[in-house]
Amino acid sequence: MQTRKKYIFLTFLASWLLLFFFGGDQLRHFAFFSGRKTEARRNWPRWTDRSLLKSFADSEELQSDGDPSLPSPRERRAARLSVYKNSRCRMETCFDFSRCEKHGFKVFTYPRERDQPLSESYGKILASIERSRYYTPNPEEACLFILSIDTLDRDHLSGQYVRNVDEKIRGFPLWNGGRNHLIFNLYSGTWPNYTEDLGFDIGQAILAKASFYTESFRPGFDISIPLFPKDHPQRGGEKGWLYQDSVPPKKKYLLVFKGKRYLTGIGSSTRNALHHIHNGKDIISLTTCKHGKDWEKHKDTRCDKDNVDYEKFNYQELLHNSTFCIVPRGRRLGSFRFLEALQAACIPVLLSDGWELPFAEAIDWGKAAVVGNERLLLQIPSAVRCIHPERVLAFQQQTQFLWDAYFSSVDKIVHTTLEIIKDRLLPHRSRSRFLWNTLPGGLLALPEFSTHLGDFPFYYLQHGSSPSEKFTAFIRAVSPAGSLSQPILRLIQAVSGSQYCAQILVLWSCEKPPPPSGKWPQTTVPLTIIQGRGKLSDRFFPYAAIQTDAVLSLDEHASLSTSEVDFAFTVWRSFPERIVGFPTQSHFWDAEQKRWGYTSKWTNELSIVLTAAAFYHRYPAGEKPAGWGGSAVSCPPPTSLPPPRYYHSLFTEYLPAGLRELVDGLAACEDILMNVLVAAVTKLPPIKVTQRKQHKESVSQQVKGTTGAAGGRRFSQHQDCLNQLADWFGYMPLVSSQLRLDPVLFKDQVSVLRKKYPRLEKP
């Protein structure tokens, strides 16, 4: 009996132990255990010594189980799959390359319907495409198609939300399941989850989207673009805030943030935690709850104090006076703060996990931004303090370059998107990341010219090379008599006598045919005659006959000596990216007329070197076609586009046809346009070199032209040209200078034998 009781007791005890160890999770649901749990949670955490270990988080934050309105990973994945049904799309599988073979990379925008709503931002995007060199009004020539339906704001609570997009695009005969289409989007999803749902099936279309999740981003197919405001400028844009005297790089504040704080919903956790790093000294982190309609219903204990502190600082002053700017995620991954920080040279510290950064396919953000982790917020201050001042300055300089090259206007954002897509069509001729991330940038280092760094005039130092030691003289002849005038004969003799001259090309722009070869002077270098079309822009056509890096552009009435040519070429070899020449002019802002003015007065200020006598870079050397070069012969214009030359190609290919037509219609506008183009590329002024007094007088007469009504009309055309170019670029690219370069010992009272160019001082 005793033995039986003993076994029963042991069995009962074992059963309780098993139930306790293996069924503990179920017992926690009983009130007996849940009451103790609630009490324990209310008193948690219990520190051994609270005076030594201070809590930096509210107990409510630590005890909360998270916002129930936030979507789970499964829900987010399901939402993305519903939008990106062709999630495995690549250029090779979802893009028809054959459409781009015949006419090249051409872009067609769908015609707009009269009653179709169009936001200001989307109107700017369409205008940027239609004024680009890739636009075509013919859909048969198009390689890429852009919808006229506004797809920027796909938040169905927004007033700019366009409904029934699926039905509309299915009715387009060119839609073809979205193949070869590009769709722009800035806002997707809505409260409370803000998923990437666009409200329609994009099919096989390329998506250029802001706030792109890396999980849904299709590498090599989609493009991440920045979020920009509706008042973002169409073209040009404001300059960055970093100037040459903005050193040392350390500013008043190390790290700043001023913005909204979301009390609930997605994006609230990161911004709610920003107050932990605020120290009121060199780290300023200010948030406000005062936004939205129902903010008072959800405000917490910090809101009132945060709102008061928020008003104590000016946002623009913080941007100006801070080294780093925190760019946390908002409701969506991207924010306007990103572009604001770039412009202000305030190094962005990104706190937006999973964000595919804008144009990351081309831009190396590791040189311009600090990518942080939302979960490691407290480590950010110590991390940025460890960055060396030289590295900080390099970051700031790169922010200014990226802002100016790709983000300062809608035009640049759209054109960067198109250029990235174009690079994918010919990967073997695409730009390297070096070209995208160094001056002048990918939009101006076009792969049609070259992808080799040594061919560009900007990268000689990086490449360890130098420009060629010879130049090509390019003389434009417009004499109506159809014969050789005495000035052009003297000019050919003077130029051919230069030790650096490799060849002379004469662009014959007269109605009558050029004289026979026997009438041309005998020279020690090849002389070639090119038959022009009679247009002013012909002088900047990328002729294949030009075989040197340097081009000496001349008008037939230019008066130069061999010494002047030699010295100017020597100067150009030190500044191959700039225009180096003799006759100069300048621009100024006329406050009364509220427009740009143009003057040819001889002053110390200059911003334009006339191409009537100037050196500049051509790019790159191509093979000489049959029939070009040698003795004096007459050659027809090339039937196909020859190998490109850098500034010639930018002039001919980069600029739209409308600007070239403007040049052909206004006198001397080609001079201004070439100077504007070079200044836009280099951000530097041209260089004036020494010239003789008699040359000054002759040039002055040429610039003034005929007196009276004709001279006034010509001067008026100069100003009209200047203002139309400033309007097209969106700003005035020309840079003024007071620099003139003279030879060593020029005009010094020393022996002539000690001077390298003594003839420059002779009248």
Side-chain angles (χ1 to χ4, degrees):
M1 190 68 180
Q2 293 295 332
T3 304
R4 182 181 297 177
K5 290 181 180 181
K6 184 178 180 180
Y7 281 116
I8 292 174
F9 176 76
L10 291 175
T11 303
F12 181 75
L13 181 60
S15 300
W16 270 102
L17 290 174
L18 291 174
L19 182 62
F20 182 79
F21 283 105
F22 296 101
D25 290 337
Q26 300 297 327
L27 290 176
R28 292 191 182 98
H29 294 290
F30 294 130
F32 177 78
F33 292 96
S34 61
R36 292 188 177 181
K37 177 187 176 184
T38 304
E39 182 181 358
R41 286 185 56 181
R42 191 179 300 117
N43 297 328
W44 186 85
R46 294 179 179 177
W47 308 117
T48 305
D49 192 339
R50 296 190 180 185
S51 63
L52 295 178
L53 186 56
K54 180 181 177 181
S55 174
F56 289 93
D58 296 335
S59 59
E60 295 179 0
E61 296 181 19
L62 295 173
Q63 295 171 12
S64 63
D65 293 328
D67 195 330
S69 63
L70 298 181
S72 66
R74 179 178 297 178
E75 292 173 337
R76 285 187 298 182
R77 186 163 53 252
R80 289 169 189 152
L81 290 176
S82 66
V83 178
Y84 306 100
K85 296 180 180 179
N86 294 281
S87 59
R88 296 185 178 181
C89 265
R90 297 294 182 267
M91 294 294 290
E92 296 80 7
T93 58
C94 297
F95 195 90
D96 185 3
F97 287 82
S98 63
R99 293 197 63 97
C100 312
E101 294 176 354
K102 186 175 181 180
H103 300 283
F105 186 69
K106 295 294 182 180
V107 184
F108 173 79
T109 58
Y110 281 65
R112 308 173 198 175
E113 300 177 4
R114 293 183 179 179
D115 57 343
Q116 184 173 291
L118 197 67
S119 65
E120 181 180 354
S121 296
Y122 200 64
K124 291 179 179 179
I125 289 177
L126 294 180
S128 297
I129 295 172
E130 291 169 0
R131 67 193 300 270
S132 74
R133 66 184 182 278
Y134 297 130
Y135 173 72
T136 177
N138 184 2
E140 298 298 325
E141 299 178 355
C143 168
L144 189 68
F145 300 88
I146 312 294
L147 296 175
S148 60
I149 301 175
D150 189 347
T151 57
L152 289 186
D153 195 342
R154 300 307 298 163
D155 184 343
H156 65 77
L157 298 179
S158 171
Q160 296 179 341
Y161 181 81
V162 179
R163 304 184 183 279
N164 304 321
V165 174
D166 258 329
E167 298 179 8
K168 295 178 180 179
I169 60 178
R170 287 172 187 167
F172 295 151
L174 298 173
W175 176 243
N176 191 26
R179 185 171 285 245
N180 288 58
H181 280 68
L182 175 62
I183 294 176
F184 287 91
N185 175 255
L186 295 181
Y187 308 98
S188 62
T190 187
W191 172 266
N193 297 336
Y194 292 94
T195 63
E196 297 193 284
D197 183 13
L198 300 181
F200 67 97
D201 182 13
I202 64 173
Q204 297 180 348
I206 299 172
L207 185 59
K209 184 181 182 303
S211 304
F212 228 134
Y213 276 92
T214 55
E215 296 180 10
S216 55
F217 181 78
R218 298 170 289 184
F221 192 74
D222 292 327
I223 297 176
S224 178
I225 63 175
L227 183 65
F228 59 88
K230 63 180 180 181
D231 59 349
H232 205 53
Q234 172 77 63
R235 50 186 176 270
E238 298 180 1
K239 293 184 178 180
W241 296 359
L242 184 68
Y243 300 98
Q244 292 183 352
D245 56 352
S246 300
V247 291
K250 288 190 66 175
K251 300 182 181 179
K252 180 179 180 180
Y253 302 111
L254 174 71
L255 186 65
V256 300
F257 172 79
K258 183 180 180 182
K260 299 177 182 178
R261 178 163 68 89
Y262 305 117
L263 299 173
T264 60
I266 192 169
S268 60
S269 58
T270 301
R271 297 203 175 198
N272 279 334
L274 288 174
H275 72 280
H276 294 310
I277 63 174
H278 175 81
N279 63 14
K281 297 177 182 178
D282 63 342
I283 299 179
I284 306 298
S285 180
L286 305 170
T287 58
T288 179
C289 311
K290 198 174 181 180
H291 59 90
K293 299 179 180 179
D294 302 326
W295 71 273
E296 291 184 345
K297 295 181 181 179
H298 303 283
K299 73 174 186 177
D300 55 21
T301 56
R302 291 202 338 257
C303 276
D304 291 333
K305 183 179 183 301
D306 287 352
N307 293 340
V308 173
D309 294 340
Y310 186 84
E311 301 298 333
K312 294 180 180 179
F313 291 84
N314 179 272
Y315 179 62
Q316 295 296 323
E317 291 181 0
L318 288 176
L319 286 179
H320 272 286
N321 294 291
S322 180
T323 305
F324 296 90
C325 285
I326 300 178
V327 182
R329 64 162 298 156
R331 293 300 191 189
R332 300 173 179 89
L333 294 178
S335 69
F336 299 140
R337 194 176 312 276
F338 180 66
L339 292 186
E340 294 168 352
L342 282 182
Q343 182 185 7
C346 188
I347 303 171
V349 179
L350 307 177
L351 294 175
S352 186
D353 296 351
W355 183 22
E356 179 70 21
L357 297 182
F359 306 136
E361 181 176 340
I363 295 176
D364 183 1
W365 286 109
K367 298 179 179 179
V370 177
V371 181
N373 190 310
E374 295 181 50
R375 299 181 180 181
L376 303 177
L377 170 64
L378 298 182
Q379 297 182 9
I380 295 298
S382 59
V384 296
R385 290 185 195 277
C386 294
I387 301 179
H388 195 274
E390 293 182 0
R391 184 67 174 161
V392 169
L393 185 57
F395 269 81
Q396 291 173 336
Q397 291 172 337
Q398 191 68 1
T399 62
Q400 300 303 273
F401 161 68
L402 295 177
W403 163 259
D404 181 71
Y406 308 117
F407 299 108
S408 61
S409 67
V410 177
D411 269 8
K412 292 177 182 177
I413 293 174
V414 173
H415 293 168
T416 302
T417 303
L418 297 180
E419 292 293 343
I420 289 176
I421 296 175
K422 184 173 180 290
D423 270 3
R424 296 171 180 173
L425 302 181
L426 297 172
H428 61 284
R429 294 185 60 186
S430 62
R431 281 154 283 217
S432 65
R433 285 176 71 86
F434 181 88
L435 292 176
W436 280 106
N437 291 276
T438 54
L439 285 168
L443 297 184
L444 293 169
L446 303 184
E448 292 89 346
F449 310 143
S450 177
T451 56
H452 180 57
L453 300 182
D455 291 332
F456 290 88
F458 321 102
Y459 307 129
Y460 283 130
L461 291 179
Q462 293 94 327
H463 190 70
S465 59
S466 60
S468 64
E469 298 180 355
K470 298 288 184 177
F471 68 84
T472 296
F474 194 83
I475 305 174
R476 181 171 177 265
V478 293
S479 299
S483 61
L484 294 175
S485 61
Q486 289 300 318
I488 193 174
L489 294 178
R490 291 195 297 267
L491 183 62
I492 292 176
Q493 292 294 345
V495 172
S496 64
S498 171
Q499 58 180 319
Y500 305 113
C501 183
Q503 58 180 153
I504 299 176
L505 303 180
V506 178
L507 178 64
W508 192 260
S509 298
C510 310
E511 295 182 359
K512 295 184 178 181
S517 57
K519 297 291 184 179
W520 291 90
Q522 295 295 322
T523 61
T524 57
V525 296
L527 176 65
T528 305
I529 314 302
I530 301 175
Q531 184 66 51
R533 300 172 299 172
K535 295 184 177 181
L536 294 174
S537 58
D538 282 354
R539 71 188 311 165
F540 299 125
F541 190 82
Y543 296 100
I546 303 175
Q547 297 295 308
T548 59
D549 289 339
V551 175
L552 174 58
S553 176
L554 298 166
D555 282 351
E556 62 179 335
H557 296 290
S559 176
L560 291 176
S561 67
T562 303
S563 295
E564 287 176 297
V565 173
D566 287 346
F567 175 66
F569 178 68
T570 303
V571 172
W572 177 86
R573 294 195 76 235
S574 298
F575 306 94
E577 75 280 6
R578 302 205 217 179
I579 298 179
V580 177
F582 301 92
T584 60
Q585 297 175 356
S586 61
H587 76 291
F588 62 93
W589 176 252
D590 190 337
E592 294 183 0
Q593 299 292 331
K594 294 184 178 179
R595 67 197 305 256
W596 292 102
Y598 178 92
T599 178
S600 58
K601 295 181 180 179
W602 291 95
T603 63
N604 290 332
E605 196 88 5
L606 66 98
S607 58
I608 298 172
V609 168
L610 298 182
T611 54
F615 281 97
Y616 56 84
H617 190 281
R618 72 92 192 170
Y619 170 87
E623 294 183 2
K624 186 184 300 184
W628 291 71
S631 59
V633 294
S634 178
C635 299
T639 57
S640 61
L641 188 66
R645 280 90 188 103
Y646 186 64
Y647 286 130
H648 280 182
S649 290
L650 283 182
F651 189 95
T652 307
E653 297 298 318
Y654 174 75
L655 299 176
L659 283 186
R660 296 196 297 275
E661 294 173 359
L662 172 68
V663 165
D664 294 330
L666 296 176
C669 191
E670 80 279 7
D671 281 320
I672 302 175
L673 179 54
M674 177 56 80
N675 278 267
V676 167
L677 178 61
V678 176
V681 173
T682 63
K683 310 295 187 296
L684 297 170
I687 295 178
K688 176 181 175 59
V689 293
T690 307
Q691 56 190 136
R692 294 171 300 163
K693 183 177 179 180
Q694 65 177 23
H695 181 50
K696 286 185 178 181
E697 294 173 352
S698 64
V699 170
S700 179
Q701 295 175 0
Q702 294 175 31
V703 171
K704 291 179 180 179
T706 57
T707 58
R713 183 170 59 254
R714 181 183 179 88
F715 184 77
S716 177
Q717 288 181 345
H718 289 171
Q719 297 205 104
D720 290 342
C721 171
L722 190 65
N723 283 276
Q724 290 188 51
L725 294 180
D727 179 68
W728 188 88
F729 279 89
Y731 71 106
M732 173 51 70
L734 291 176
V735 181
S736 297
S737 172
Q738 295 183 348
L739 174 68
R740 189 188 79 180
L741 296 183
D742 297 335
V744 177
L745 301 179
F746 179 71
K747 295 291 186 181
D748 287 351
Q749 299 299 322
V750 296
S751 172
V752 176
L753 299 177
R754 299 178 60 186
K755 299 183 179 183
K756 187 174 182 179
Y757 304 99
R759 295 184 180 181
L760 289 180
E761 302 180 24
K762 294 182 179 181

